Amino acid sequence: MGRVLIADGDREMQDLLAHALSQADCQVELVARGEEVLEEIAKGGIDAVVTEVHLTDMPAWRLIPKVHQVDPYMPIIAITADDSWETSRRVRVEGG
């Protein structure tokens, strides 16, 4: 199907997402930090990004605009266990 970049500092979550996407015939790349996401996007060949909202080096609301500077059409799914309204708002409003 496509090549999906998973960004999450939690190895168990990476494995869970990788397994699910592999079952959907996706190729999966794993990274743990926002800077790694940007490096992989710059190399090309990534079709979509799934990222934890709270990566150790940058939150999704900072990462998403940076990804879209490199590839304005990159689909990004932001996930988190944080159910706060403020986090949701920041990802939607500040992340674009």
Coordinates of all heavy atoms in Angstrom, one line a residue:
M1 N 0.8 -1.2 0.0 CA 0.0 0.0 0.0 C 0.9 1.3 0.0 O 0.9 1.9 -1.0 CB -0.9 0.0 1.2 CG -1.9 -1.1 1.3 SD -3.5 -0.8 0.5 CE -4.2 0.5 1.4
G2 N 1.6 1.5 1.1 CA 2.4 2.7 1.2 C 3.4 2.6 2.3 O 3.4 1.6 3.0
R3 N 4.2 3.6 2.4 CA 5.3 3.6 3.4 C 4.9 4.6 4.5 O 4.8 5.8 4.2 CB 6.6 4.0 2.7 CG 7.8 3.8 3.6 CD 9.1 3.8 2.7 NE 10.2 4.0 3.6 CZ 11.2 4.9 3.4 NH1 11.1 5.7 2.4 NH2 12.1 5.0 4.3
V4 N 4.7 4.1 5.7 CA 4.3 4.9 6.8 C 5.4 5.1 7.8 O 6.0 4.1 8.2 CB 3.0 4.3 7.5 CG1 2.5 5.1 8.6 CG2 1.9 4.1 6.5
L5 N 5.6 6.3 8.3 CA 6.6 6.6 9.3 C 5.9 6.7 10.6 O 5.0 7.5 10.8 CB 7.3 7.9 8.9 CG 8.4 8.4 9.9 CD1 9.5 7.4 9.9 CD2 8.9 9.7 9.5
I6 N 6.3 5.9 11.6 CA 5.7 5.9 12.9 C 6.7 6.6 13.8 O 7.9 6.2 13.9 CB 5.4 4.5 13.4 CG1 4.4 3.8 12.6 CG2 5.0 4.5 14.9 CD1 4.2 2.3 12.9
A7 N 6.3 7.6 14.5 CA 7.1 8.4 15.5 C 6.5 8.3 16.9 O 5.5 8.8 17.1 CB 7.2 9.8 15.0
D8 N 7.2 7.5 17.7 CA 6.8 7.3 19.1 C 7.9 6.9 19.9 O 8.7 6.0 19.5 CB 5.6 6.3 19.1 CG 4.8 6.4 20.4 OD1 5.4 6.4 21.5 OD2 3.6 6.5 20.3
G9 N 8.1 7.5 21.1 CA 9.2 7.1 22.0 C 8.9 5.8 22.7 O 9.8 5.3 23.4
D10 N 7.7 5.3 22.7 CA 7.3 4.1 23.4 C 7.5 2.9 22.4 O 6.7 2.8 21.5 CB 5.9 4.2 23.9 CG 5.4 3.0 24.7 OD1 5.9 1.9 24.5 OD2 4.4 3.2 25.4
R11 N 8.4 2.0 22.7 CA 8.7 0.9 21.8 C 7.5 0.0 21.7 O 7.2 -0.5 20.6 CB 9.9 0.1 22.3 CG 10.3 -1.0 21.4 CD 10.7 -0.5 20.1 NE 10.9 -1.6 19.2 CZ 11.5 -1.5 18.0 NH1 11.9 -0.3 17.6 NH2 11.7 -2.5 17.3
E12 N 6.7 -0.2 22.8 CA 5.6 -1.1 22.7 C 4.5 -0.5 21.7 O 3.9 -1.2 21.0 CB 5.0 -1.3 24.1 CG 5.8 -2.2 24.9 CD 5.2 -2.5 26.3 OE1 4.0 -2.3 26.5 OE2 6.0 -2.8 27.2
M13 N 4.3 0.8 21.8 CA 3.4 1.5 20.9 C 3.9 1.4 19.5 O 3.1 1.1 18.5 CB 3.1 2.9 21.3 CG 2.1 3.6 20.5 SD 0.5 2.8 20.4 CE -0.2 3.3 22.0
Q14 N 5.2 1.6 19.3 CA 5.7 1.4 17.9 C 5.4 0.0 17.3 O 5.0 -0.1 16.2 CB 7.2 1.6 17.9 CG 7.7 3.0 18.0 CD 9.2 3.1 18.0 OE1 9.9 2.1 18.2 NE2 9.8 4.3 17.6
D15 N 5.7 -1.0 18.2 CA 5.4 -2.4 17.7 C 4.0 -2.6 17.4 O 3.6 -3.3 16.4 CB 5.9 -3.3 18.8 CG 7.4 -3.4 18.9 OD1 8.1 -2.9 18.0 OD2 7.9 -3.9 19.9
L16 N 3.1 -2.1 18.3 CA 1.6 -2.3 18.1 C 1.2 -1.6 16.8 O 0.5 -2.2 15.9 CB 0.9 -1.7 19.2 CG -0.7 -1.7 19.1 CD1 -1.2 -3.1 19.3 CD2 -1.3 -0.8 20.2
L17 N 1.6 -0.4 16.5 CA 1.2 0.3 15.3 C 1.8 -0.3 14.1 O 1.2 -0.5 13.1 CB 1.6 1.8 15.4 CG 0.9 2.6 16.4 CD1 1.6 4.0 16.6 CD2 -0.6 2.8 16.0
A18 N 3.1 -0.7 14.2 CA 3.8 -1.4 13.1 C 3.1 -2.7 12.7 O 2.9 -3.0 11.5 CB 5.2 -1.7 13.4
H19 N 2.7 -3.4 13.7 CA 2.0 -4.7 13.4 C 0.7 -4.4 12.7 O 0.3 -5.1 11.7 CB 1.7 -5.5 14.7 CG 1.0 -6.7 14.5 ND1 1.5 -7.9 13.9 CD2 -0.3 -7.0 14.8 CE1 0.6 -8.8 13.9 NE2 -0.5 -8.3 14.4
A20 N -0.1 -3.5 13.2 CA -1.4 -3.2 12.6 C -1.3 -2.7 11.2 O -2.0 -3.1 10.3 CB -2.2 -2.1 13.4
L21 N -0.3 -1.8 10.9 CA -0.1 -1.3 9.6 C 0.5 -2.3 8.6 O 0.2 -2.3 7.5 CB 0.8 0.0 9.6 CG 0.1 1.2 10.3 CD1 1.1 2.3 10.6 CD2 -1.0 1.7 9.4
S22 N 1.3 -3.2 9.2 CA 1.9 -4.3 8.3 C 0.7 -5.2 7.9 O 0.8 -5.7 6.8 CB 2.9 -5.1 9.1 OG 4.0 -4.3 9.4
Q23 N -0.2 -5.4 8.7 CA -1.4 -6.2 8.4 C -2.2 -5.6 7.2 O -2.9 -6.3 6.5 CB -2.3 -6.5 9.6 CG -1.7 -7.3 10.7 CD -1.3 -8.7 10.2 OE1 -2.1 -9.4 9.7 NE2 -0.1 -9.1 10.5
A24 N -2.1 -4.3 7.1 CA -2.7 -3.6 6.0 C -1.8 -3.4 4.8 O -2.0 -2.6 3.9 CB -3.2 -2.2 6.5
D25 N -0.7 -4.2 4.7 CA 0.2 -4.2 3.7 C 1.0 -2.9 3.5 O 1.4 -2.5 2.4 CB -0.4 -4.6 2.3 CG -0.9 -6.0 2.3 OD1 -0.2 -6.9 2.9 OD2 -1.9 -6.3 1.6
C26 N 1.2 -2.2 4.6 CA 2.0 -1.0 4.6 C 3.5 -1.3 5.0 O 3.7 -2.2 5.8 CB 1.5 0.0 5.6 SG -0.1 0.7 5.2
Q27 N 4.4 -0.6 4.4 CA 5.8 -0.7 4.8 C 5.9 0.3 6.0 O 5.3 1.4 5.9 CB 6.7 -0.3 3.7 CG 6.8 -1.3 2.6 CD 7.7 -0.8 1.5 OE1 7.8 0.3 1.2 NE2 8.5 -1.8 0.9
V28 N 6.6 -0.1 7.0 CA 6.7 0.8 8.2 C 8.1 1.1 8.5 O 9.0 0.3 8.5 CB 6.1 0.0 9.4 CG1 6.2 0.9 10.7 CG2 4.6 -0.3 9.1
E29 N 8.4 2.4 8.8 CA 9.6 2.9 9.3 C 9.4 3.4 10.7 O 8.3 4.0 11.0 CB 10.2 4.0 8.5 CG 10.4 3.7 7.0 CD 11.5 2.6 6.8 OE1 12.4 2.6 7.6 OE2 11.4 1.8 5.9
L30 N 10.3 3.2 11.7 CA 10.1 3.6 13.1 C 11.2 4.6 13.5 O 12.4 4.4 13.2 CB 10.2 2.4 14.0 CG 9.3 1.2 13.7 CD1 9.6 0.0 14.6 CD2 7.9 1.6 13.9
V31 N 10.7 5.7 14.1 CA 11.6 6.7 14.7 C 11.0 7.0 16.1 O 9.9 6.8 16.4 CB 11.8 7.9 13.8 CG1 12.5 7.5 12.5 CG2 10.5 8.6 13.6
A32 N 11.8 7.7 16.9 CA 11.4 8.1 18.2 C 11.3 9.6 18.5 O 10.8 10.0 19.5 CB 12.3 7.4 19.3
R33 N 11.9 10.4 17.5 CA 12.0 11.8 17.8 C 11.5 12.6 16.6 O 11.6 12.1 15.4 CB 13.5 12.2 18.1 CG 14.0 11.5 19.3 CD 15.5 11.7 19.6 NE 16.0 13.1 19.3 CZ 16.7 13.4 18.2 NH1 17.1 12.4 17.4 NH2 17.1 14.6 17.9
G34 N 11.1 13.8 16.8 CA 10.7 14.7 15.8 C 11.7 15.0 14.7 O 11.5 15.1 13.5
E35 N 13.0 15.2 15.2 CA 14.1 15.5 14.3 C 14.3 14.4 13.3 O 14.6 14.6 12.1 CB 15.4 15.8 15.0 CG 15.4 17.2 15.6 CD 15.2 18.4 14.6 OE1 15.7 18.2 13.5 OE2 14.6 19.4 15.0
E36 N 14.1 13.1 13.8 CA 14.2 12.0 12.9 C 13.1 11.9 11.9 O 13.3 11.5 10.7 CB 14.2 10.7 13.7 CG 15.4 10.5 14.6 CD 15.2 9.3 15.6 OE1 14.2 9.3 16.3 OE2 16.1 8.5 15.6
V37 N 11.9 12.4 12.3 CA 10.8 12.5 11.3 C 11.2 13.4 10.2 O 11.0 13.1 9.0 CB 9.5 13.0 12.0 CG1 8.4 13.3 11.0 CG2 9.0 12.0 13.0
L38 N 11.7 14.6 10.5 CA 12.1 15.6 9.5 C 13.2 15.0 8.6 O 13.1 15.2 7.4 CB 12.5 16.9 10.2 CG 11.4 17.5 11.0 CD1 12.0 18.7 11.8 CD2 10.2 17.9 10.1
E39 N 14.1 14.3 9.1 CA 15.2 13.7 8.3 C 14.6 12.7 7.3 O 15.0 12.7 6.2 CB 16.2 13.0 9.2 CG 17.1 14.0 10.0 CD 17.9 13.3 11.1 OE1 17.9 12.0 11.2 OE2 18.5 14.0 12.0
E40 N 13.7 11.8 7.8 CA 13.1 10.8 6.9 C 12.2 11.4 5.9 O 12.3 11.0 4.7 CB 12.3 9.8 7.8 CG 13.2 8.9 8.7 CD 14.2 8.1 7.9 OE1 13.8 7.5 6.8 OE2 15.3 8.0 8.3
I41 N 11.5 12.4 6.2 CA 10.6 13.1 5.2 C 11.5 13.7 4.1 O 11.2 13.7 3.0 CB 9.7 14.2 5.9 CG1 8.7 13.5 6.9 CG2 9.0 15.0 4.9 CD1 7.7 12.6 6.3
A42 N 12.6 14.4 4.5 CA 13.5 15.0 3.6 C 14.1 14.0 2.6 O 14.4 14.4 1.5 CB 14.6 15.8 4.3
K43 N 14.3 12.8 3.0 CA 14.9 11.8 2.2 C 13.9 11.4 1.1 O 14.3 10.9 0.0 CB 15.2 10.5 3.0 CG 16.4 10.7 3.9 CD 16.6 9.4 4.6 CE 17.7 9.5 5.7 NZ 17.8 8.3 6.5
G44 N 12.6 11.5 1.4 CA 11.5 11.1 0.4 C 11.1 9.7 0.6 O 11.7 8.9 1.3
G45 N 10.0 9.4 -0.1 CA 9.5 8.0 -0.1 C 8.5 7.7 1.0 O 8.0 6.6 1.1
I46 N 8.2 8.6 1.9 CA 7.2 8.4 3.0 C 5.9 8.9 2.5 O 5.7 10.0 1.9 CB 7.6 9.2 4.3 CG1 9.0 8.8 4.8 CG2 6.6 9.1 5.3 CD1 9.1 7.4 5.3
D47 N 4.9 8.0 2.7 CA 3.5 8.4 2.2 C 2.6 8.9 3.3 O 1.6 9.6 3.0 CB 2.9 7.1 1.6 CG 3.6 6.6 0.4 OD1 3.8 7.4 -0.5 OD2 4.0 5.4 0.4
A48 N 2.9 8.7 4.6 CA 2.1 9.2 5.7 C 2.9 9.1 7.0 O 3.9 8.3 7.1 CB 0.8 8.4 5.8
V49 N 2.5 9.9 7.9 CA 3.2 9.9 9.3 C 2.1 9.6 10.3 O 1.0 10.2 10.3 CB 3.9 11.2 9.5 CG1 4.4 11.3 10.9 CG2 4.9 11.5 8.5
V50 N 2.5 8.8 11.3 CA 1.7 8.6 12.5 C 2.6 9.0 13.6 O 3.7 8.4 13.8 CB 1.2 7.1 12.7 CG1 0.5 7.0 14.0 CG2 0.3 6.7 11.5
T51 N 2.2 10.0 14.4 CA 3.1 10.5 15.5 C 2.4 10.6 16.8 O 1.3 11.0 16.9 CB 3.7 11.9 15.1 OG1 4.7 12.3 16.1 CG2 2.7 12.9 14.9
E52 N 3.1 10.3 17.8 CA 2.7 10.6 19.2 C 2.7 12.1 19.3 O 3.6 12.8 18.8 CB 3.7 10.0 20.2 CG 3.6 10.5 21.6 CD 2.3 10.5 22.3 OE1 1.6 9.4 22.2 OE2 1.9 11.5 22.9
V53 N 1.8 12.7 20.0 CA 1.7 14.1 20.2 C 2.9 14.7 21.0 O 3.5 15.7 20.7 CB 0.4 14.6 20.8 CG1 0.4 16.0 21.3 CG2 -0.8 14.3 19.9
H54 N 3.3 13.9 22.0 CA 4.3 14.4 22.9 C 5.6 13.6 22.7 O 6.1 12.8 23.5 CB 3.9 14.2 24.4 CG 2.7 15.0 24.8 ND1 2.6 16.3 24.8 CD2 1.4 14.6 25.0 CE1 1.4 16.7 25.2 NE2 0.7 15.7 25.3
L55 N 6.3 13.9 21.6 CA 7.6 13.3 21.4 C 8.6 14.0 22.3 O 8.4 15.1 22.7 CB 8.1 13.5 19.9 CG 7.2 12.8 18.9 CD1 7.7 13.1 17.5 CD2 7.3 11.3 19.1
T56 N 9.7 13.4 22.6 CA 10.6 13.9 23.6 C 11.3 15.2 23.2 O 11.6 16.1 24.0 CB 11.8 12.9 23.9 OG1 12.4 12.6 22.7 CG2 11.2 11.7 24.6
D57 N 11.5 15.4 21.8 CA 12.2 16.6 21.4 C 11.3 17.7 20.9 O 11.7 18.9 20.8 CB 13.3 16.3 20.4 CG 12.8 15.7 19.1 OD1 11.7 15.1 19.1 OD2 13.4 15.8 18.1
M58 N 10.0 17.4 20.5 CA 9.1 18.4 20.1 C 7.7 17.9 20.0 O 7.5 16.7 19.6 CB 9.5 19.0 18.7 CG 9.2 18.2 17.5 SD 9.6 19.0 15.9 CE 11.4 18.9 16.0
P59 N 6.7 18.7 20.4 CA 5.4 18.3 20.4 C 4.8 18.3 18.9 O 5.4 19.0 18.1 CB 4.6 19.3 21.2 CG 5.5 20.5 21.1 CD 6.9 20.1 21.0
A60 N 3.7 17.6 18.7 CA 3.2 17.5 17.4 C 2.8 18.9 16.8 O 2.9 19.1 15.6 CB 1.9 16.6 17.4
W61 N 2.3 19.8 17.7 CA 1.9 21.1 17.1 C 3.1 21.9 16.6 O 3.0 22.8 15.8 CB 1.2 21.9 18.1 CG 1.8 22.1 19.5 CD1 2.7 23.1 19.8 CD2 1.6 21.4 20.6 NE1 3.0 23.0 21.1 CE2 2.4 21.9 21.7 CE3 0.8 20.2 21.0 CZ2 2.5 21.4 23.0 CZ3 0.9 19.7 22.2 CH2 1.7 20.3 23.2
R62 N 4.4 21.5 16.9 CA 5.5 22.1 16.3 C 6.0 21.3 15.1 O 6.6 21.8 14.2 CB 6.7 22.3 17.3 CG 6.3 23.4 18.3 CD 7.5 23.9 19.0 NE 7.2 24.8 20.1 CZ 7.4 24.7 21.4 NH1 8.0 23.6 21.8 NH2 7.0 25.6 22.2
L63 N 5.9 20.0 15.2 CA 6.4 19.0 14.2 C 5.5 19.2 12.9 O 6.1 19.2 11.8 CB 6.3 17.6 14.7 CG 6.7 16.5 13.7 CD1 8.1 16.7 13.3 CD2 6.4 15.1 14.3
I64 N 4.2 19.2 13.0 CA 3.4 19.2 11.9 C 3.7 20.3 10.9 O 3.9 20.1 9.7 CB 1.9 19.2 12.3 CG1 1.6 17.8 13.0 CG2 1.0 19.4 11.1 CD1 0.2 17.8 13.7
P65 N 3.8 21.6 11.3 CA 4.1 22.6 10.4 C 5.5 22.4 9.7 O 5.7 22.8 8.6 CB 4.1 23.9 11.2 CG 3.3 23.6 12.4 CD 3.5 22.1 12.7
K66 N 6.5 21.9 10.5 CA 7.8 21.6 9.9 C 7.7 20.5 8.8 O 8.4 20.6 7.8 CB 8.8 21.2 11.0 CG 9.1 22.4 11.9 CD 10.1 22.0 13.0 CE 10.4 23.2 13.9 NZ 11.6 23.0 14.7
V67 N 6.9 19.5 9.1 CA 6.8 18.5 8.1 C 6.1 19.1 6.8 O 6.6 18.8 5.7 CB 5.9 17.3 8.6 CG1 5.5 16.4 7.5 CG2 6.7 16.5 9.7
H68 N 5.1 19.9 7.0 CA 4.4 20.5 5.9 C 5.3 21.5 5.1 O 5.0 21.9 4.0 CB 3.1 21.1 6.3 CG 2.1 20.0 6.5 ND1 1.0 20.1 7.4 CD2 2.0 18.7 6.0 CE1 0.3 19.0 7.4 NE2 0.9 18.1 6.6
Q69 N 6.3 22.0 5.8 CA 7.2 22.9 5.0 C 8.0 22.1 4.0 O 8.4 22.6 2.9 CB 8.2 23.6 6.0 CG 7.6 24.7 6.8 CD 8.6 25.3 7.8 OE1 9.7 24.8 8.0 NE2 8.2 26.4 8.3
V70 N 8.3 20.8 4.4 CA 9.1 19.9 3.5 C 8.1 19.3 2.4 O 8.4 19.2 1.3 CB 9.8 18.8 4.3 CG1 10.5 17.8 3.3 CG2 10.8 19.4 5.3
D71 N 6.9 18.9 2.9 CA 5.9 18.2 2.0 C 4.6 18.7 2.5 O 4.0 18.2 3.4 CB 6.0 16.7 2.2 CG 5.1 16.0 1.2 OD1 4.1 16.6 0.7 OD2 5.3 14.8 1.0
P72 N 4.0 19.7 1.8 CA 2.8 20.3 2.2 C 1.6 19.4 2.2 O 0.5 19.7 2.8 CB 2.6 21.5 1.2 CG 3.9 21.7 0.5 CD 4.6 20.4 0.6
Y73 N 1.7 18.3 1.4 CA 0.5 17.4 1.3 C 0.7 16.1 2.1 O -0.1 15.2 2.0 CB 0.3 17.0 -0.2 CG 0.1 18.3 -1.0 CD1 1.1 18.8 -1.8 CD2 -1.1 19.0 -0.9 CE1 0.9 19.9 -2.6 CE2 -1.3 20.1 -1.6 CZ -0.3 20.6 -2.5 OH -0.5 21.7 -3.2
M74 N 1.7 16.0 3.0 CA 1.9 14.8 3.8 C 0.8 14.6 4.8 O 0.5 15.5 5.6 CB 3.2 15.0 4.6 CG 3.6 13.8 5.5 SD 3.8 12.2 4.5 CE 5.3 12.6 3.6
P75 N 0.1 13.5 4.7 CA -0.9 13.2 5.7 C -0.3 12.8 7.0 O 0.7 12.1 7.1 CB -1.7 11.9 5.1 CG -1.1 11.7 3.8 CD 0.1 12.5 3.6
I76 N -0.8 13.4 8.1 CA -0.3 13.1 9.4 C -1.4 12.8 10.4 O -2.4 13.5 10.5 CB 0.5 14.4 10.0 CG1 1.6 14.8 9.0 CG2 1.0 14.1 11.4 CD1 2.3 16.1 9.3
I77 N -1.2 11.7 11.1 CA -2.1 11.3 12.2 C -1.4 11.5 13.5 O -0.4 10.9 13.7 CB -2.6 9.9 12.0 CG1 -3.3 9.7 10.7 CG2 -3.5 9.4 13.2 CD1 -3.7 8.3 10.3
A78 N -1.9 12.3 14.4 CA -1.4 12.5 15.7 C -2.2 11.8 16.7 O -3.4 11.9 16.8 CB -1.4 14.0 16.0
I79 N -1.4 11.0 17.5 CA -2.1 10.1 18.5 C -1.5 10.5 19.9 O -0.4 10.9 20.0 CB -1.9 8.6 18.2 CG1 -0.4 8.3 18.2 CG2 -2.6 8.3 16.9 CD1 -0.2 6.8 18.1
T80 N -2.3 10.2 20.9 CA -1.9 10.4 22.3 C -2.8 9.8 23.3 O -4.0 9.7 23.0 CB -1.7 11.9 22.6 OG1 -1.1 12.1 23.9 CG2 -3.0 12.7 22.6
A81 N -2.3 9.5 24.4 CA -3.2 9.1 25.6 C -3.6 10.3 26.4 O -4.5 10.2 27.3 CB -2.4 8.1 26.5
D82 N -3.1 11.5 26.1 CA -3.4 12.7 26.7 C -4.8 13.2 26.2 O -5.0 13.5 25.1 CB -2.3 13.8 26.4 CG -2.6 15.1 27.0 OD1 -3.7 15.4 27.6 OD2 -1.7 16.0 27.0
D83 N -5.7 13.2 27.1 CA -7.1 13.5 26.7 C -7.5 15.0 27.1 O -8.7 15.3 27.1 CB -8.1 12.6 27.3 CG -8.2 12.7 28.8 OD1 -7.4 13.3 29.5 OD2 -9.1 12.1 29.4
S84 N -6.5 15.8 27.3 CA -6.8 17.2 27.7 C -7.3 18.0 26.5 O -6.8 17.8 25.3 CB -5.6 17.9 28.3 OG -4.7 18.3 27.3
W85 N -8.3 18.9 26.7 CA -8.8 19.7 25.7 C -7.7 20.6 25.1 O -7.6 20.9 23.9 CB -9.9 20.6 26.2 CG -10.6 21.5 25.2 CD1 -11.6 21.2 24.4 CD2 -10.2 22.8 24.9 NE1 -11.9 22.2 23.6 CE2 -11.0 23.3 23.9 CE3 -9.2 23.7 25.4 CZ2 -10.9 24.5 23.3 CZ3 -9.1 25.0 24.9 CH2 -10.0 25.4 23.9
E86 N -6.8 21.2 26.0 CA -5.8 22.1 25.5 C -4.8 21.4 24.5 O -4.4 22.0 23.5 CB -5.0 22.6 26.7 CG -3.9 23.6 26.4 CD -4.3 24.8 25.6 OE1 -5.5 25.2 25.6 OE2 -3.4 25.4 25.0
T87 N -4.5 20.1 24.8 CA -3.6 19.4 23.9 C -4.3 19.3 22.5 O -3.6 19.5 21.5 CB -3.2 18.0 24.5 OG1 -2.4 18.3 25.7 CG2 -2.4 17.2 23.5
S88 N -5.5 18.8 22.5 CA -6.3 18.7 21.3 C -6.3 20.0 20.5 O -6.1 20.0 19.3 CB -7.7 18.2 21.6 OG -8.4 18.1 20.5
R89 N -6.6 21.1 21.2 CA -6.7 22.4 20.6 C -5.4 22.8 20.0 O -5.3 23.2 18.8 CB -7.1 23.5 21.6 CG -7.3 24.8 20.9 CD -7.3 26.0 21.9 NE -6.0 26.2 22.5 CZ -5.0 26.8 21.9 NH1 -5.1 27.2 20.7 NH2 -3.8 26.9 22.6
R90 N -4.3 22.6 20.7 CA -3.0 23.0 20.2 C -2.6 22.2 18.9 O -2.0 22.8 18.0 CB -1.9 22.8 21.3 CG -2.0 23.8 22.4 CD -0.9 23.7 23.3 NE 0.2 24.6 22.8 CZ 1.3 24.9 23.4 NH1 1.5 24.3 24.6 NH2 2.2 25.7 22.9
V91 N -2.9 20.9 18.9 CA -2.6 20.1 17.7 C -3.4 20.6 16.5 O -2.9 20.8 15.4 CB -2.8 18.6 18.0 CG1 -2.6 17.8 16.7 CG2 -1.8 18.1 19.0
R92 N -4.7 20.9 16.7 CA -5.5 21.3 15.7 C -5.2 22.7 15.2 O -5.2 23.0 14.0 CB -7.0 21.2 16.1 CG -7.5 19.8 16.1 CD -9.0 19.7 16.5 NE -9.2 20.0 17.9 CZ -9.8 21.1 18.3 NH1 -10.3 22.0 17.5 NH2 -9.9 21.3 19.6
V93 N -5.0 23.6 16.1 CA -4.9 25.0 15.8 C -3.4 25.4 15.4 O -3.2 25.9 14.3 CB -5.4 25.9 16.9 CG1 -5.1 27.4 16.6 CG2 -6.9 25.7 17.1
E94 N -2.5 25.0 16.3 CA -1.1 25.4 16.0 C -0.4 24.5 15.0 O 0.5 24.9 14.3 CB -0.4 25.4 17.4 CG -0.8 26.5 18.3 CD -0.1 26.4 19.6 OE1 1.1 26.2 19.7 OE2 -0.8 26.7 20.7
G95 N -0.9 23.2 15.0 CA -0.3 22.2 14.1 C -0.8 22.3 12.7 O -0.2 21.8 11.8
G96 N -1.9 23.0 12.5 CA -2.4 23.3 11.2 C -3.4 22.2 10.8 O -3.8 22.0 9.8

